[in-house]
Amino acid sequence: MRRHIIAANWKMNKTLANVREFLIKFVKWKNNTEMQVDIIICPPSIYLMEASTLLYNTDVKLSAQNIYFENAGAFTGEISAPMLKSIGCYYSIIGHSERRAYFHETDADVNKKLKALLENGMNAILCLGETLHQRENGETKNVVQAQLSADLYGIESRFFDNIIIAYEPIWAIGTGKTATPEDAEDVQKFIRQWIANKYNQTVANNLRILYGGSINHNNIAELISQPDIDGGLIGGASLDKNSFIKIVEIANRIIGGK
Ligand code: 13P
């Protein structure tokens, strides 16, 4: 039985005061709620240290939005896996489409970042997904398959306890256009099948595959009711604490009643 995840990707948003206010209120709410899902918060790296302190002794997981693949050295401006670990942050998003598009990250970079996380005993939220052009040309599954193959190159099955995959169709990110639950399920089922073929059925059955792209409190229920959608990676609708709490509440109710 896979435990669902609701993850907040704050991208490049919030001030320190906003972060404090959100996390203090969220933890208070969460402590009075029976949680049926796992929560991961991904703040900008400058706030990870503060967030780590505020989330200390809670079961809310903390994640970076990106890492560099070397452990240390002359890489001005970058942050490594061991640095994150040293502040109590054991997760990072890698391969987000915004990093691929604006910062020219390749699948080879994503693969090195994945290896850096896994070799340091950390967890990855590996993002992938197709552009609108690719979807309209019927290339979605080919694109996703190519990303899976390149991003997971050389990764052994024993590491899969530390990998979460997030399917994020680029045309659905920040656009208000959510993939229909059926479309998202179709691709996510394909991803699980690909993993089953490449590794084995147990790895595939245990792998948590999230959907991301314009999730909000109106569409979360239908999305996570799909058999291969094990939660959501949420951008815009995770910024406001009330909006995020509402999404978690709905997820708790749906998953609790499953
Ligand atoms: P939105 O929820 O704002 O569409 O962002 C999704 C996303 O990119 C999460 O990583």
Side-chain angles (χ1 to χ4, degrees):
M1 190 60 196
R2 300 183 291 269
R3 194 166 158 92
H4 281 59
I5 296 172
I6 301 292
N9 176 10
W10 288 345
K11 307 190 179 183
M12 196 178 74
N13 291 293
K14 292 192 177 291
T15 62
L16 179 59
N18 294 155
V19 170
R20 284 189 178 135
E21 204 228 340
F22 185 115
L23 292 180
I24 289 167
K25 296 221 167 112
F26 182 74
V27 166
K28 208 164 166 188
W29 171 79
K30 199 205 74 79
N31 285 345
N32 294 317
T33 309
E34 200 178 323
M35 297 296 284
Q36 310 287 347
V37 298
D38 290 339
I39 304 291
I40 307 179
I41 307 276
C42 318
S45 56
I46 192 169
Y47 306 131
L48 284 169
M49 185 77 212
E50 177 72 7
S52 175
T53 306
L54 292 168
L55 297 176
Y56 185 71
N57 262 345
T58 74
D59 54 10
V60 178
K61 312 273 191 308
L62 181 62
S63 173
Q65 296 175 9
N66 180 36
I67 58 152
Y68 191 57
F69 49 77
E70 295 287 352
N71 281 344
F75 303 103
T76 301
E78 296 296 319
I79 292 173
S80 73
M83 289 177 183
L84 291 173
K85 228 165 112 171
S86 76
I87 65 153
C89 175
Y90 300 101
Y91 288 74
S92 182
I93 294 174
I94 50 170
H96 194 282
S97 61
E98 287 148 18
R99 297 217 54 89
R100 294 179 193 253
Y102 306 139
F103 305 98
H104 315 296
E105 282 189 15
T106 63
D107 284 314
D109 296 327
V110 176
N111 179 250
K112 286 186 199 160
K113 290 179 182 206
L114 178 57
K115 286 177 177 159
L117 286 169
L118 298 174
E119 281 160 11
N120 281 287
M122 293 176 61
N123 304 280
I125 305 171
L126 168 61
C127 298
L128 41 84
E130 80 287 2
T131 62
L132 182 59
H133 182 72
Q134 290 164 334
R135 172 155 286 255
E136 285 172 346
N137 282 343
E139 294 166 9
T140 298
K141 287 180 183 166
N142 282 345
V143 169
V144 165
Q145 179 166 282
Q147 288 173 327
L148 284 168
S149 173
D151 297 349
L152 294 171
Y153 181 77
I155 305 296
E156 295 164 32
S157 59
R158 69 189 165 99
F159 284 116
F160 268 79
D161 282 350
N162 299 93
I163 299 174
I164 297 160
I165 291 181
Y167 168 59
E168 299 205 311
I170 295 168
W171 49 272
I173 296 178
T175 56
K177 280 189 215 151
T178 324
T180 64
E182 294 73 26
D183 283 345
E185 167 62 20
D186 183 45
V187 179
Q188 304 206 184
K189 190 176 175 172
F190 171 79
I191 293 172
R192 200 178 304 285
Q193 194 53 55
W194 189 91
I195 297 286
N197 294 342
K198 170 92 182 169
Y199 295 91
N200 60 59
Q201 197 62 52
T202 310
V203 168
N205 288 347
N206 291 336
L207 175 66
R208 290 184 289 182
I209 307 176
L210 313 183
Y211 166 79
S214 296
I215 293 180
N216 57 44
H217 66 267
N218 292 317
N219 57 30
I220 185 72
E222 254 199 305
L223 286 163
I224 61 169
S225 298
Q226 300 295 320
D228 291 291
I229 303 185
D230 306 312
L233 180 55
I234 305 162
S238 75
L239 293 174
D240 173 75
K241 62 179 182 311
N242 295 326
S243 155
F244 187 63
I245 285 174
K246 205 164 172 181
I247 293 171
V248 177
E249 265 174 341
I250 296 169
N252 265 338
R253 204 163 54 233
I254 301 281
I255 301 308
K258 249 187 180 176

